[in-house]
Amino acid sequence: MAAAVALTLDASLMPAFKFAGATPSLVGCLAAYVALHAERKRAWWGCWWLGLLQDFSSPMSVEGTITFVPGPFALGFLLGGALILAVRAEVMRRSMVAAAVATLGLLSMAGLVWTMVWTLRGWSTDAGWPWAGSGLGQLWQMFLVAAISAPVALPISWLLGRTFDHWGFPASRRRR
Amino acid sequence: MRAGQAPGRAFLVVVLATAAVAIAPARWLRPWTTDLSGLIWVPLRPPAHLLTALRHWLRPVGEDSSTRDMQLLVEDRDRFRALWHSEQLRAEELQQRLAQIDRTNRMNRGGVPVEPLIASVTGRGTGTSERFLSLAAGSRDGVREGDPAVIGGDVLVGRVLGAPTDVSCWLAPIVDSSAGRLDVYITSADRPEAGPSEGVKAQIRPGSRGLLVGEVDGSATRISEGDIVRLWDATWKPAAQGMRVGVVRRVGRSDRSPLRTQVEVECGVDPSRLRQVTLKVEASQ
């Protein structure tokens, strides 16, 4: 349900908070939150699912027609989730700042993987790349999205923290 | 990875399958991913539509928008003030729609009978495809792939990309890289009624700063800032021909070939601020 809410908000309301050409990603904030708190196995699956949902909400123009390519964000969120899982034991997970930094890391990694996958696709087909300008420029744009999403993750993590007991995370079960 | 908390073999298979799908040919993906995405978005589209309306309320079109001239701004402001005071918002909105349909009907230059169809913007693509607009109009309303979308009668927004579903379609704005190169002609701002024979032909493509850029022969010194750019591209449907793409914002020497002139064109519309567009669909016989 949280994923559905985040996706809907990303597609409709979040462009109102566009800054420097980048729109914050609530799905990215949610994935980072899940990666910070969920059991490792569920965190992997959660990041993959959220990335896949993002892929199915991101139409691309390939060979002159609309195409949804499942995978670029799913793999990117996975790698970003892996990054968080590797360091989360060292941070105060309930801290809003940790959520913001995790969002920055996850979305940066997701941007890197997304750009790599689409670069690979561009090389392997004649369709070219789905961005104007250079791949580095696109990578910078993806980093901007991560950077603008990080401060948004502060209130989002606070909001999600209010419902922490209902998520079924290990820490929330211990608190009960 | 800690023992007992590894994602398991099934997950690794899923990840490998995801990687394979991510680089699979588009023609293999398109038939099933488009339907799947449509299914995912069926329950999400109504709330997204409502929230899009909320976004437009939160961030209305600013009066300092550089895409409109001052006179139009003042007229718009006065008109909306009048609407506010008249307590007849609904009636006025319908009147506007009627006027837009009428203008679009009169702009049918392509020789193919078209019907204007007003479509609400229900949302946008997420992430990297945020420039794509999701419209609440589909094949049931007569929308077909490639149908152009305009606002204000002749300002070209983009065209429908891919086969529409029954009730929705995706609109690719002309500033998106998917639009590719556009053949256009540029006419003087002083003579907006000038035809293609009096204008300068050019080919423009989306640039990285949200502008359209192109090059013309160096002898084309007739171009100046503020000139009007109109579409003249055989790859677009007839209903889109002659529609206004934007205005020339900068004219300068090309860095790569000094004998040519580089023009930068600012689009007549900011797609992120649109609430509705008029699709020019082919009239049913």
Side-chain angles (χ1 to χ4, degrees), chain B residues 100 104 114-119 135-138 141 143-144 147-151 158-160 169-171 277-282:
Chain B
Q100 194 166 342
T104 309
V114 293
E115 275 177 7
L117 172 71
I118 292 181
L135 303 182
D141 308 297
V143 181
R144 290 188 176 84
D147 282 344
V150 296
I151 60 162
R159 63 176 161 182
V160 173
C169 63
W170 287 98
L171 180 74
V277 296
T278 304
L279 286 168
K280 298 178 81 173
V281 301
E282 286 173 21

Side-chain angles (χ1 to χ4, degrees), chain A:
Chain A
M1 183 173 287
V5 171
L7 263 184
T8 309
L9 287 169
D10 270 353
S12 54
L13 195 62
M14 293 318 285
F17 303 99
K18 193 172 184 173
F19 183 75
T23 305
S25 164
L26 290 185
V27 175
C29 298
L30 186 62
Y33 191 78
V34 169
L36 270 178
H37 296 288
E39 286 171 20
R40 297 179 80 85
K41 198 171 175 178
R42 289 184 179 184
W44 286 108
W45 279 107
C47 287
W48 180 78
W49 268 113
L50 286 165
L52 201 65
L53 286 173
Q54 175 91 332
D55 281 322
F56 278 113
S57 309
S58 307
M60 304 303 296
S61 169
V62 182
E63 294 157 359
T65 189
I66 207 88
T67 309
F68 292 88
V69 178
F73 275 121
L75 295 173
F77 276 36
L78 259 184
L79 200 64
L83 182 76
I84 296 171
L85 284 171
V87 299
R88 71 178 187 175
E90 317 297 329
V91 299
M92 291 175 63
R93 298 187 207 179
R94 298 293 299 273
S95 154
M96 291 195 295
V97 177
V101 175
T103 302
L104 178 71
L106 184 137
L107 283 174
S108 298
M109 291 305 287
L112 182 70
V113 173
W114 186 92
T115 311
M116 281 171 62
V117 170
W118 277 99
T119 304
L120 202 64
R121 289 186 68 90
W123 277 335
S124 59
T125 65
D126 294 334
W129 298 283
W131 53 73
S134 67
L136 271 181
Q138 178 62 26
L139 202 56
W140 172 246
Q141 189 60 33
M142 300 294 277
F143 178 74
L144 279 181
V145 171
I148 193 73
S149 301
V152 172
L154 294 169
I156 296 298
S157 64
W158 177 84
L159 207 63
L160 293 173
R162 302 296 97 191
T163 59
F164 190 76
D165 292 340
H166 305 288
W167 282 81
F169 294 142
S172 66
R173 285 203 294 268
R174 277 199 295 275
R175 276 175 18 145
R176 284 179 186 178

Side-chain angles (χ1 to χ4, degrees), chain B residues 57-223:
Chain B
W57 180 73
L58 285 171
R59 291 277 297 263
V61 178
E63 289 193 352
D64 58 345
S65 170
S66 57
T67 58
R68 297 162 186 256
D69 60 69
M70 188 54 71
Q71 190 182 356
L72 272 175
L73 273 173
V74 171
E75 280 176 11
D76 272 358
R77 186 192 62 191
D78 291 346
R79 186 158 53 90
F80 281 106
R81 275 184 183 162
L83 286 170
W84 177 257
H85 291 294
S86 68
E87 297 182 14
Q88 291 181 347
L89 279 169
R90 179 68 183 153
E92 290 289 344
E93 190 182 301
L94 289 173
Q95 213 169 4
Q96 280 181 343
R97 284 180 171 214
L98 203 61
Q100 194 166 342
I101 289 170
D102 186 44
R103 278 203 302 271
T104 309
N105 263 335
R106 279 188 271 133
M107 293 303 297
N108 174 25
R109 300 171 185 171
V112 176
V114 293
E115 275 177 7
L117 172 71
I118 292 181
S120 296
V121 177
T122 57
R124 310 191 329 163
T126 60
T128 47
S129 52
E130 63 176 9
R131 277 185 179 156
F132 291 152
L133 304 177
S134 169
L135 303 182
S139 55
R140 203 171 58 182
D141 308 297
V143 181
R144 290 188 176 84
E145 183 172 0
D147 282 344
V150 296
I151 60 162
D154 80 332
V155 181
L156 189 63
V157 179
R159 63 176 161 182
V160 173
L161 193 64
T165 66
D166 280 354
V167 293
S168 68
C169 63
W170 287 98
L171 180 74
I174 49 176
V175 287
D176 188 78
S177 58
S178 64
R181 292 177 184 275
L182 298 172
D183 288 328
V184 296
Y185 65 96
I186 304 168
T187 58
S188 168
D190 303 331
R191 299 193 60 242
E193 75 285 358
S197 57
E198 300 169 68
V200 178
K201 288 181 194 171
Q203 197 174 53
I204 55 176
R205 59 180 164 73
S208 54
R209 290 184 293 130
L211 297 171
L212 297 160
V213 293
E215 291 180 357
V216 292
D217 287 337
S219 58
T221 51
R222 286 180 287 164
I223 303 173

Side-chain angles (χ1 to χ4, degrees), chain B residues 242-285:
Chain B
M243 295 291 111
R244 188 147 48 104
V245 171
V247 294
V248 175
R249 276 289 161 244
R250 190 181 151 273
V251 184
R253 287 274 163 227
S254 168
D255 292 335
R256 285 181 298 183
S257 42
L259 293 177
R260 294 174 71 79
T261 303
Q262 188 181 53
V263 288
E264 289 185 356
V265 178
E266 186 177 52
C267 291
V269 58
D270 178 2
S272 66
R273 297 197 163 191
L274 289 175
R275 300 181 68 169
Q276 60 184 27
V277 296
T278 304
L279 286 168
K280 298 178 81 173
V281 301
E282 286 173 21
S284 50
Q285 299 301 315

